[in-house]
Amino acid sequence: MNKAMTRLTALAVAAIASTLTAQAQQSQLLYLAEDVPAGLNYDGPSVSVNTSQTGFINLMEPLIYYPYAGSNDDGVRMLDFSKFEGRLVERWENDPATKTWTLHLRRGVKSCFGNTFTADDMIYTLSRAKSVSGQAPIGWFLSSVAAIKGFDRSVFTGGSKELGDSVVKVDDYTVRITQSDPSFLFLMVLTNYGMAPFDSVELKKHATPQDPWSHIHANTVNSTGFGPYCLERWVKDDEFVMTANPNYYRGKPAIDRIVIKKVPQSANRTLTLRSGQAQLTQRLTSREFESLRSARGVKVAGVYGNETLFLNLNWKTPPFDNAKLRQAIAAAMPYRQIASIGYANQARRWEAHYTGVLNGYIKPDAQFPQDVERAKALLAEAGFPEGKGLEKYADAFKLAFTAERESYLGPIATTIQSALKDIGLQVQLEPMPQTQIADRRLVKKDLPISISDTEKPVGPDVIYATKLFFVSPGAGGVNNMANYSNAEVDRMFTQALIESDGAKREPLVRGIQQILQSELAWIPLVETRTQWAFSEKLTGISWHPDNSLRLFDLKLAP
Amino acid sequence: MVRFITTRLATTIIQLAGLALVVFFAIRALPADPVARLVGLNASRDAYLSSQKSLGLDRPVLEQLGAYLGIIPGSSGLLQGDLGRSWVTGSPVAEEIARVLPITLELITVSFVIAFLISVPLGMLCGLRPGGVADRITFGYSLFAGSQPEFWWALLFIFVFFAQLGWAPPPLGRLNPMSSPPPFVTGFITMDSLLAGNMAAFKDGVHHLMLPVLTKVFVLSGPIVKMVRQNMVRALASDYVLYARGSGLWPARIAAIALKNALAPALTLLGVLYGYILGSAVLIETVFSLGGIGQYAVRSVLAFDYPAIQAVVLVIAAISLFVYLALDVAHALLDPRIVS
């Protein structure tokens, strides 16, 4: 009896010890961010917020994606945007004659809820997108960019909100999509988080008569995808905890548990990382990143991705429709001081209207480095020698910027004001709340001059960025805040969009970039580095066009 | 007394109703667009219009008001106790406020109690010997504490007690982020952890409350000490204290009589301070990542989250008004002349 009791006790002790060891071995990461996801519904109200994107991107899985193509000098892994690799869609075929794409889905993929990914999830996700029932119909918008048949503006004016024959389930693992027109951007769209399939079996459980597409559940409880992480706990405005999805088809993530904690003060994120009590942080000021470079046990890495700063001169506000005046302003810009004052030199002059990582990028011929004498000469050519004659446009010379970013945009605006004064242009500064800026830029489009650092195309392609920023509304443009209009750009864009032959598309893409730069659709100022600070034990940082980390790629040494 | 309370309650409700209307129209009069922020700057015109419709912002303002108040048939609004859903998170605003409000209330209530326990004896001591050593030191302290903004002291305390000495935890909220919180009952971490019998969470909660409370107490104590001191000096110079002295009462007894009278005006100031600090808690909450109602209010305003703004203003105003009401009742009990 005693022996049996001793054995039992020994077994119990061993079991407890083994459990404790397992717990001790469980790797955890504390990730300090400026906020946690406000919602997990990409058709919901928080879709444009980067911290929300980080949430649903790591809980969901894209249909296809880009392969990695090495690392930059800082060790940040970079993607090759000219190629695609299968994810939930394993392979695909296109028949240009019938404008159809046949998508072959991966088998054996399981969500955190144990449901298997099938064509039904694809049909559900695209039906939900076409219902335009969410507060921000991103799924519909991307599908319209991909030219999927029926995803047009008619859905808002009484047209059918049913998928019809545009997306058809061929069998459980095959889906056929028909386009209304060919679109070169079709595959690029499939890489986007706004096309990631939902676990329809799970999401349907939360549908109600008032909310048949379960937007409330996705906004407030869980996004129910097929991604590498599962949601453990989510306290809005506070913390977001994920655990590794053991069923993830690419293998269980290396880090078992990730806690994203909201720490609004960047100084506190810096201090905590320096103390070793957190392993990863982001969105610090340039000077805080600089201070961490020399901290023991901490690394700072960054990339010139798609974060930029530019000066927007409204084409519909005289005198900014004067091409020579625009050139004079560009030649007066103090690029080096902007990089130094605003970004602690973690920025460089932007020499184009697109960043170098985008597919199709070229450096255009027309360049406007800072040259005060050239600026003065161009100003005289514009008909305003030393700024004379511009007095009647005083109301137009108000430089707007986002007041919430005063800490770095304020000094930059002052530097620009001073540089323009050197050539005879008097500018007033006008900080505005973000909501007011958004209204003036997106809705009214009446800001005469503004500086902006929020335009980051999530589609890493020149054609996609052109559609967002430079194409006229009549030709399919989306947010042309500068009110720029050029028939030749519109023509080349339309042609490039439907051109499937890369060799024929290349001169069109090149031509668009040359025109925009020579006409200065806007005044590019600097490209800024997207940076992260992290424990030296952490590896696997990678850059993605949405500027959200892929936590699956991270590894934490013991 | 019942009539007095009923009248004050009715006044409070009218004030809240007026405030609700003012806030409703004021936020809509501002030159900003919440839809543009919600759908993102790169949204298409169609997406924008669709979002505007789903938020109900395409309807006339009076119709929006009707829906907000809940007087349109089939709608659910203030009259039904529904504060609406946040436009940013999609969650019911009432739920969000129920989560963030206790965080702030715990911070300021604990700070008030500690500040009161420290300040009253200190103020009394200073009042007993005006111009003495204790009085001069306290005067210097209150001047010093009040001369710098609250968030500055908070950052300084973090630097000293966390970064340099390592005594305090990192400023990452109410608990260690890697631990699990106790089940939500009251929302007060200290109380909930005790209710759950989770002593580790209780200790952790107290530890994380240490620096925010220290900051609050440090800044709050100055005015309370000054006020108690002034009232004590005034009370000690009064006729009834002179009479008490003349009657040969012990100094301790005289001090107790003076303190009772000195504390009555202090009650008013505490009420005012409580309301003021509730509305201005955002600085401490931001510095210590507490996620209380102050941070929630600022987030809502910056995002132009109309339902959340309307609700936060109402809730904070309601708490302040009810604190004032409680004070009025307390005063009425102390001085029945007020009721008449």
Side-chain angles (χ1 to χ4, degrees):
Chain A
M1 184 67 179
N2 276 347
K3 272 188 181 177
M5 280 301 289
T6 313
R7 272 185 196 167
L8 208 59
T9 310
L11 273 173
V13 169
I16 291 166
S18 134
T19 310
L20 289 175
T21 312
Q23 280 175 356
Q25 283 172 350
Q26 190 190 45
S27 58
Q28 299 193 81
L29 178 103
L30 179 56
Y31 176 3
L32 307 181
E34 66 278 23
D35 203 350
V36 296
L40 290 175
N41 180 17
Y42 59 65
D43 275 338
S46 53
V47 63
S48 62
V49 184
N50 174 259
T51 43
S52 292
Q53 292 168 357
T54 301
F56 52 72
I57 280 171
N58 285 289
L59 297 175
M60 303 184 83
E61 184 69 5
L63 293 169
I64 62 172
Y65 208 59
Y66 307 101
Y68 281 115
S71 303
N72 71 1
D73 292 343
D74 278 9
V76 178
R77 297 177 78 190
M78 303 297 288
L79 298 160
D80 179 353
F81 296 124
S82 66
K83 295 178 184 154
F84 298 96
E85 68 175 22
R87 287 292 183 86
L88 289 183
V89 171
E90 206 165 16
R91 59 197 166 80
W92 54 91
E93 292 133 21
N94 177 221
D95 178 8
T98 56
K99 291 183 278 192
T100 55
W101 290 81
T102 305
L103 309 181
H104 301 278
L105 311 186
R106 191 177 295 276
R107 290 163 190 262
V109 174
K110 289 208 166 190
S111 74
C112 293
F113 304 91
N115 300 317
T116 305
F117 173 62
T118 68
D120 292 332
D121 298 310
M122 286 282 294
I123 300 291
Y124 173 83
T125 301
L126 285 165
S127 302
R128 189 180 191 263
K130 201 175 173 194
S131 75
V132 290
S133 48
Q135 285 179 346
I138 299 302
W140 168 85
F141 169 70
L142 290 167
S143 301
S144 73
V145 172
I148 298 177
K149 199 171 113 189
F151 282 79
D152 50 41
R153 292 176 177 183
S154 67
V155 296
F156 298 104
T157 53
S160 171
K161 292 183 180 177
E162 304 293 324
L163 271 189
D165 62 353
S166 60
V167 183
V168 175
K169 174 184 170 182
V170 177
D171 61 43
D172 276 353
Y173 293 97
T174 314
V175 170
R176 193 167 54 237
I177 296 179
T178 307
Q179 292 174 292
S180 51
D181 296 296
S183 172
F184 157 71
L185 296 175
F186 183 85
L187 289 177
M188 188 216 74
V189 163
L190 297 195
T191 67
N192 195 283
Y193 56 75
M195 295 293 278
F198 293 98
D199 173 351
S200 61
V201 175
E202 179 60 25
L203 207 51
K204 277 177 183 173
K205 289 179 190 167
H206 307 283
T208 62
Q210 293 77 31
D211 179 26
W213 296 102
S214 309
H215 288 288
I216 291 175
H217 183 79
N219 270 333
T220 59
V221 182
N222 201 337
S223 60
T224 70
F226 295 90
Y229 278 93
C230 306
L231 186 58
E232 178 189 311
R233 191 170 73 239
W234 180 19
V235 183
K236 289 187 180 183
D237 284 325
D238 187 21
E239 64 178 356
F240 189 78
V241 185
M242 293 178 284
T243 44
N245 177 359
N247 301 320
Y248 186 52
Y249 72 94
R250 289 199 292 158
K252 187 171 171 278
I255 299 177
D256 299 301
R257 189 167 179 264
I258 293 180
V259 177
I260 304 180
K261 175 74 189 173
K262 176 176 177 174
V263 182
Q265 290 270 317
S266 63
N268 284 346
R269 299 201 292 274
T270 307
L271 205 58
T272 310
L273 189 79
R274 192 187 278 271
S275 75
Q277 297 194 41
Q279 291 77 44
L280 174 63
T281 190
Q282 62 187 18
R283 301 281 166 202
L284 306 177
T285 66
S286 299
R287 301 202 189 283
E288 285 163 344
F289 276 122
E290 279 309 294
S291 78
L292 285 173
R293 280 179 201 281
S294 54
R296 189 183 295 170
V298 176
K299 283 176 79 173
V300 174
V303 58
Y304 283 108
N306 58 4
E307 297 199 272
T308 58
L309 180 80
F310 65 88
L311 187 66
N312 184 36
L313 303 176
N314 197 325
W315 283 86
K316 283 193 175 167
T317 310
F320 302 121
D321 51 350
N322 183 323
K324 290 289 178 188
L325 176 68
R326 298 177 80 90
Q327 291 178 4
I329 291 173
M333 285 298 104
Y335 303 101
R336 201 173 293 169
Q337 287 97 314
I338 290 171
S340 160
I341 290 168
Y343 303 99
N345 289 317
Q346 296 300 310
R348 64 187 182 198
R349 194 184 133 220
W350 191 16
E351 299 171 317
H353 281 59
Y354 305 87
T355 59
V357 293
L358 297 197
N359 188 38
Y361 167 85
I362 59 145
K363 181 183 169 185
D365 299 333
Q367 291 297 327
F368 302 90
Q370 187 182 17
D371 182 341
V372 176
E373 292 312 313
R374 185 185 173 204
K376 286 179 178 172
L378 285 164
L379 194 59
E381 281 180 48
F384 310 109
E386 296 176 349
K388 285 172 191 150
L390 288 172
E391 300 82 7
K392 60 180 173 181
Y393 301 113
D395 280 350
F397 283 88
K398 287 180 179 167
L399 177 56
F401 60 90
T402 310
E404 286 88 334
R405 296 177 184 161
E406 162 77 35
S407 63
Y408 65 100
L409 289 184
I412 289 172
T414 308
T415 308
I416 291 173
Q417 182 187 38
S418 170
L420 290 176
K421 194 177 177 186
D422 289 347
I423 64 166
L425 299 181
Q426 302 294 331
V427 175
Q428 284 181 38
L429 303 188
E430 196 170 22
M432 283 183 190
Q434 194 171 343
T435 34
Q436 196 177 345
I437 285 254
D439 179 41
R440 300 281 302 273
R441 269 191 203 152
L442 178 69
V443 186
K444 300 191 175 85
K445 298 190 179 179
D446 65 351
L447 275 180
I449 321 179
S450 59
I451 46 178
S452 175
D453 64 348
T454 52
E455 274 58 41
K456 307 164 196 176
V458 291
D461 193 284
V462 165
I463 292 298
Y464 180 76
T466 305
K467 181 179 173 71
L468 284 187
F469 305 129
F470 306 117
V471 173
S472 315
V478 177
N479 169 24
N480 188 336
M481 73 167 85
N483 289 314
Y484 175 72
S485 179
N486 182 305
E488 183 61 5
V489 168
D490 289 353
R491 184 194 67 77
M492 287 197 282
F493 163 77
T494 308
Q495 207 175 327
L497 194 61
I498 58 171
E499 182 56 67
S500 57
D501 184 343
K504 289 181 183 167
R505 192 170 56 245
E506 193 272 337
L508 298 167
V509 176
R510 176 182 287 272
I512 289 171
Q513 294 178 78
Q514 296 287 17
I515 292 174
L516 291 176
Q517 181 75 4
S518 63
E519 292 202 331
L520 288 169
W522 60 35
I523 314 279
L525 295 174
V526 290
E527 291 179 75
T528 59
R529 274 164 68 87
T530 306
Q531 299 189 89
W532 302 270
F534 47 94
S535 159
E536 62 183 4
K537 292 178 181 170
L538 189 71
T539 54
I541 299 282
S542 55
W543 181 77
H544 302 263
D546 43 55
N547 291 300
S548 290
L549 286 172
R550 296 314 189 260
L551 303 174
F552 173 77
D553 294 333
L554 300 181
K555 289 184 174 59
L556 189 62
Chain B
M1 179 57 84
V2 173
R3 193 176 167 187
F4 173 76
I5 294 173
T6 313
T7 314
R8 288 291 288 108
L9 258 177
T11 314
T12 302
I13 290 165
I14 292 168
Q15 282 173 318
L16 283 176
L19 189 69
L21 289 177
V22 168
V23 173
F24 179 87
F25 287 110
I27 52 178
R28 279 162 178 80
L30 291 172
D33 186 352
V35 183
R37 193 184 181 281
L38 288 179
V39 295
L41 288 175
N42 296 327
S44 67
R45 182 77 188 152
D46 307 295
Y48 174 86
L49 292 173
S50 167
S51 181
Q52 190 185 41
K53 192 177 175 189
S54 71
L55 297 176
L57 288 173
D58 58 334
R59 293 184 287 174
V61 175
L62 286 180
E63 206 179 314
Q64 291 178 40
L65 177 66
Y68 168 57
L69 296 176
I71 54 175
I72 290 181
S75 67
S76 173
L78 275 186
L79 291 177
Q80 290 78 30
D82 184 357
L83 297 175
R85 281 184 180 272
S86 160
W87 289 352
V88 173
T89 63
S91 303
V93 171
E95 268 179 28
E96 296 195 332
I97 290 180
R99 179 172 50 75
V100 297
L101 184 61
I103 296 171
T104 307
L105 290 182
E106 183 178 36
L107 167 69
I108 61 175
T109 307
V110 171
S111 304
F112 251 86
V113 170
I114 295 177
F116 200 75
L117 290 177
I118 293 172
S119 306
V120 170
L122 205 58
M124 201 174 142
L125 191 69
C126 297
L128 287 172
R129 284 181 189 275
V133 180
D135 191 30
R136 274 183 285 164
I137 291 173
T138 308
F139 177 75
Y141 150 73
S142 53
L143 203 68
F144 183 61
S147 64
Q148 303 293 332
E150 203 172 54
F151 73 88
W152 187 86
W153 288 118
L155 291 172
L156 187 74
F157 290 153
I158 289 171
F159 178 72
V160 173
F161 295 110
F162 164 60
Q164 297 300 313
L165 300 174
W167 294 351
L172 301 181
R174 285 292 290 111
L175 285 172
N176 180 347
M178 307 311 274
S179 66
S180 296
F184 186 99
V185 182
T186 63
F188 284 45
I189 291 287
T190 42
M191 283 173 82
D192 287 355
S193 50
L194 285 177
L195 288 173
N198 186 344
M199 289 313 288
F202 177 74
K203 280 182 193 166
D204 195 28
V206 171
H207 200 201
H208 278 78
L209 207 53
M210 186 174 97
L211 284 191
V213 166
L214 173 65
T215 311
K216 277 280 177 203
V217 169
F218 190 74
V219 176
L220 261 179
S221 297
I224 301 177
V225 169
K226 267 187 174 177
M227 186 197 49
V228 174
R229 180 216 179 257
Q230 294 299 97
N231 290 336
M232 264 311 269
V233 169
R234 202 175 301 128
L236 286 170
S238 64
D239 292 346
Y240 60 83
V241 168
L242 201 65
Y243 179 75
R245 280 200 178 117
S247 303
L249 292 181
W250 288 92
R253 177 80 182 122
I254 294 170
I257 291 170
L259 180 66
K260 192 180 169 189
N261 287 286
L263 280 182
L267 214 60
T268 309
L269 182 80
L270 285 181
V272 174
L273 268 181
Y274 196 89
Y276 170 74
I277 286 167
L278 181 64
S280 64
V282 62
L283 292 174
I284 293 294
E285 289 173 12
T286 305
V287 171
F288 291 100
S289 317
L290 296 177
I293 194 142
Q295 264 182 280
Y296 184 75
V298 169
R299 188 273 278 159
S300 307
V301 169
L302 290 178
F304 272 64
D305 188 349
Y306 289 178
I309 297 171
Q310 290 162 175
V312 163
V313 172
L314 271 188
V315 167
I316 291 181
I319 292 173
S320 297
L321 288 173
F322 280 104
V323 168
Y324 294 155
L325 177 66
L327 283 175
D328 286 349
V329 172
H331 272 271
L333 288 172
L334 287 172
D335 184 354
R337 286 173 302 175
I338 293 173
V339 181
S340 60

